[in-house]
Amino acid sequence: MFVLPAFVVFSLIVMFSIVWVFIIGFTDWNGFSQMNFIGLKNYVDMFTADRNYWGIVTNTLVYTIYELFLQVGGGLLVAIFLTRITRGRAGLQTLYYIPVIVSTVALCQIFTMLLSVTPPGVVNSLLGLFNSDFLYEEWISNPTRSLAVAAFVEGYKYFGLYMVIFYAALIAVPKELTEAAIIDGASAFRQYAQVKLPYIMPVIISNFILVLNGSMRSFDVSFLLTKGGPGNSSQLLAPYMYKQAFSSMKYGYGSAVSMTIIILCVGIGLLLQKYLLGRAEEY
């Protein structure tokens, strides 16, 4: 009974929205005209006639891999580093967490200035001291780098959040386990590899799933920093859905794109959760 109010609110807000999007995905609604049922046409066009769709799906998957390395891997490494030091720990924790609370708009503006070409930003100016060719190096407007740059900015913003979670989990590892490993002669590396990390494996899996789902439907950083360009080189599924629904006024087609985002998030999330939980039970 305690969870009933939350379940009712969740069902009304989330489930109703998903069902509504699912229904609109079978229509040619443009937001104003009458809805006409067109069956699977939106999905057939998306999978077979849309020349941009599969490239954007690939971008989203690559972007997700970047985020898993940056947010989960980076957050875990920094958390381990913080557990190994005794001086300046609180200051470093605050420093690493600041990007989490900074507005995404402000952060993208900062990186736009840092990576500026005309006039040269801080990054190009520093690199230009070693090689003058870097002085006019394009980062945001280079189609081979724009996706990686957007992924780096989002990873930089959120890795501090997962660092805090990993740090809290690591300091909660019972001291008896660590002391037993030390008595057995385990090195610092083996203490983490064979004791601490297996102990916090459920936390690692939870963060892995959270980052995975967040990255698959990522919107703000790529939209604000690169606007999906140049061309569609850094376009992701969520901004593409937005453009189709609200810029091109193709609500039916945009809803079909939305359904693929939901299916990818749920499908890949469940598969990875099943795989990772199976691996966790082996420890």
Side-chain angles (χ1 to χ4, degrees), residues 168-178 191-204 280 283:
L170 285 170
I171 62 174
V173 175
K175 292 183 179 178
E176 293 81 3
L177 295 178
T178 307
Q191 290 173 35
Y192 282 96
Q194 298 182 350
V195 178
K196 293 184 178 181
L197 294 185
Y199 188 84
I200 68 167
M201 188 56 70
V203 178
I204 297 175
Y283 286 100

Side-chain angles (χ1 to χ4, degrees), residues 77-175:
L77 286 176
V78 174
I80 291 173
F81 167 71
L82 290 175
T83 60
R84 302 292 299 175
I85 63 174
T86 55
R87 301 182 63 179
R89 179 186 296 164
L92 287 174
Q93 283 178 312
T94 304
L95 185 66
Y96 293 140
Y97 195 78
I98 286 177
V100 179
I101 60 176
V102 173
S103 161
T104 303
V105 176
L107 194 66
C108 289
Q109 188 62 31
I110 291 170
F111 271 92
T112 300
M113 297 175 68
L114 289 175
L115 300 171
S116 171
V117 176
T118 49
V122 174
V123 174
N124 282 12
S125 297
L126 291 176
L127 293 175
L129 297 176
F130 304 97
N131 187 334
S132 59
D133 292 340
F134 284 116
L135 199 58
Y136 300 101
E137 188 69 29
E138 299 279 356
W139 298 98
I140 296 174
S141 58
N142 188 325
T144 63
R145 295 173 182 165
S146 56
L147 183 67
V149 171
F152 175 80
V153 174
E154 181 156 350
Y156 172 76
K157 176 173 175 55
Y158 290 111
F159 93 96
L161 173 64
Y162 297 98
M163 175 271 295
V164 171
I165 299 173
F166 284 132
Y167 178 77
L170 285 170
I171 62 174
V173 175
K175 292 183 179 178

